[in-house]
Amino acid sequence: MQEMEENRECQLEKQIEETLEQGDSLTKREKFQEEEFQNDAAKAVDTHKENNLTFRVSCRCSGAIAKIFTAQEIGRIVGIALMKQFGWKADLRNPNLEIFIHLSDIYSVVGIPVFRVPLASRAYIRTTGLRSTIAWAMASVAEIKAGTFVLDPMCGFGTILLEAATEWPDVYYVGADVSTSQLLGASDNLKAAGLKDKIELLKVSVIELPLPSESVDVIISDIPFGKKFKLGKDIRSILQELERVLRVGGTVVLLLSEAHHRCLKDGEGRSIPLNSKGGHTDELGVAKCLIPEEKTGIAKTVSPSLEASNQECLDKMPPFGSLVPMECYKVSLGKTDAFIYKYKKSHSSGL
């Protein structure tokens, strides 16, 4: 018995010694791996120092701030700061990294493009008109649903309809324009996108639409700014015709220039008619329109400052007849700014 106990004790001692040896070997291995990691990190730092990252700053200024600073001045200031901070080298032709900066009166955006090709580039658009990203944004706030009738009464090259039909295919789309050349460009784009059978094109005037009253569910359009194409009629006549063909509860989404925005904001549009009690006609309908519908599955990521600015923009914009302003977004078109306005029709206009 005593010999058996002694043998057990010897075996335990051996196991303890082997465990300690394994622990030592593991510790040595971890230390070796850590040293290798540190050496690799040091080499990476040395390589980074030897091959300095090249960059380019692309800057855009809009609004009142553009009158104080030029894009070149902002780009130069940021570029010098990056070179001092990180030791990067500027390369305006073929940089490793491009930094995009947009400064406006409302917000500032700093970003790094993920793709070499701009987001607005579309392989299926042969003739470019309105920027595709703006067109998509307009369609996305229009509450397009399957089976609805969507109209762009000044479709130009059809960019808005193309973006909408690509995202929401089960819809009846109609594009109208008074210009033959614009409609030919739109037709080419529809063929290239394979949407020739999805969108119908009409050559008609926006103020004389051959449609019954209250027959359209959604209207989306880029109102010409007057630089390339003249309206011929003022914006009030256009809104009056859009109001006529839109059904009650329907949506209008318009891209307005700053001049159009001032025109409507200053009360040059028609306001909702007053009833015998001095209040607005169909106040209940207006109240319903002023409460946005719940949007499920869409995360609201608008910053508080931008949301406050949009609300201020809405507060200054009066209704146009039965068209009640619901949402407003200020967007940049490059050298100029514009407004995306969303209206709801609160009641029958009687036109």
Side-chain angles (χ1 to χ4, degrees):
M1 289 289 293
Q2 187 175 358
E3 288 179 0
M4 291 177 64
E5 288 179 358
E6 287 177 357
N7 288 333
R8 266 185 207 165
E9 288 177 359
C10 288
Q11 288 177 355
L12 285 171
E13 286 177 359
K14 284 182 181 180
Q15 287 177 359
I16 292 169
E17 287 176 359
E18 288 174 358
T19 303
L20 289 172
E21 286 177 0
Q22 288 178 358
D24 290 338
S25 64
L26 286 172
T27 304
K28 288 177 182 178
R29 192 181 305 160
E30 288 173 354
K31 286 181 179 178
F32 178 73
Q33 289 176 346
E34 184 176 358
E35 287 175 358
E36 278 190 330
F37 175 78
Q38 289 176 350
N39 289 335
D40 291 341
K43 287 179 183 178
V45 171
D46 291 337
T47 304
H48 175 70
K49 288 181 178 178
E50 291 175 3
N51 303 319
N52 284 326
L53 183 73
T54 59
F55 75 98
R56 175 176 65 197
V57 178
S58 299
C59 187
R60 179 187 299 163
C61 298
S62 59
I65 197 170
K67 299 177 182 179
I68 303 173
F69 300 104
T70 65
Q72 291 77 13
E73 288 173 338
I74 300 295
R76 192 182 304 114
I77 293 170
V78 174
I80 292 172
L82 289 173
M83 287 188 286
K84 287 182 178 179
Q85 181 70 24
F86 302 108
W88 296 348
K89 292 181 179 179
D91 186 346
L92 301 181
R93 293 188 175 182
N94 190 28
N96 303 124
L97 181 68
E98 183 170 6
I99 298 170
F100 173 78
I101 300 172
H102 180 198
L103 300 179
S104 75
D105 300 335
I106 303 173
Y107 56 84
S108 61
V109 176
V110 179
I112 299 174
V114 179
F115 306 103
R116 288 286 184 181
V117 180
L119 288 176
S121 296
R122 300 287 193 270
Y124 51 80
I125 294 183
R126 292 183 179 178
T127 308
T128 57
L130 177 66
R131 190 179 298 172
S132 299
T133 46
I134 300 294
W136 183 90
M138 294 175 68
S140 67
V141 300
E143 301 177 20
I144 299 175
K145 298 176 182 177
T148 55
F149 178 7
V150 177
L151 169 70
D152 183 350
M154 291 169 284
C155 67
F157 292 136
T159 309
I160 293 175
L161 294 174
L162 283 169
E163 291 297 311
T166 303
E167 190 80 13
W168 298 274
D170 301 325
V171 175
Y172 177 52
Y173 293 99
V174 173
D177 206 289
V178 74
S179 169
T180 301
S181 61
Q182 295 285 295
L183 290 174
L184 287 174
S187 181
D188 289 341
N189 285 336
L190 295 185
K191 289 178 182 177
L195 296 172
K196 188 71 175 176
D197 298 332
K198 287 281 186 180
I199 302 172
E200 184 178 353
L201 298 177
L202 302 174
K203 185 181 178 181
V204 295
S205 170
V206 64
I207 60 172
E208 295 176 350
L209 296 172
L211 297 171
S213 297
E214 301 184 359
S215 60
V216 181
D217 299 296
V218 177
I219 298 174
I220 316 173
S221 195
D222 169 18
I223 306 294
F225 287 17
K227 293 181 179 180
K228 290 184 179 180
F229 305 98
K230 300 295 182 182
L231 288 178
K233 296 287 183 179
D234 58 24
I235 191 171
R236 296 185 300 277
S237 299
I238 294 173
L239 286 180
Q240 185 175 353
E241 181 67 353
L242 301 187
E243 180 187 15
R244 181 187 71 80
V245 299
L246 186 69
R247 68 169 178 82
V248 175
T251 303
V252 179
V253 177
L254 303 175
L255 184 66
L256 303 175
S257 68
E258 291 183 315
H260 295 149
H261 176 255
R262 285 194 299 270
C263 174
L264 295 174
K265 184 182 68 175
D266 293 340
E268 294 181 26
R270 296 179 299 108
S271 61
I272 293 178
L274 299 179
N275 57 28
S276 58
K277 297 181 180 180
H280 286 118
T281 305
D282 193 12
E283 289 179 348
L284 181 60
V286 175
K288 287 180 180 178
C289 280
L290 288 173
I291 302 174
E293 295 179 3
E294 292 290 333
K295 297 180 181 179
T296 57
I298 300 175
K300 191 173 182 180
T301 57
V302 180
S303 65
S305 60
L306 185 59
E307 191 174 23
S309 174
N310 291 338
Q311 187 58 46
E312 182 182 358
C313 184
L314 277 176
D315 292 340
K316 292 180 179 179
M317 183 67 81
F320 183 91
S322 60
L323 300 180
V324 181
M326 301 292 297
E327 298 175 27
C328 171
Y329 304 95
K330 190 173 184 179
V331 295
S332 174
L333 301 180
K335 294 182 179 179
T336 184
D337 289 339
F339 296 88
I340 295 177
Y341 261 97
K342 175 182 175 181
Y343 291 87
K344 280 276 195 177
K345 186 169 180 177
S346 62
H347 63 278
S348 180
S349 58
L351 297 174

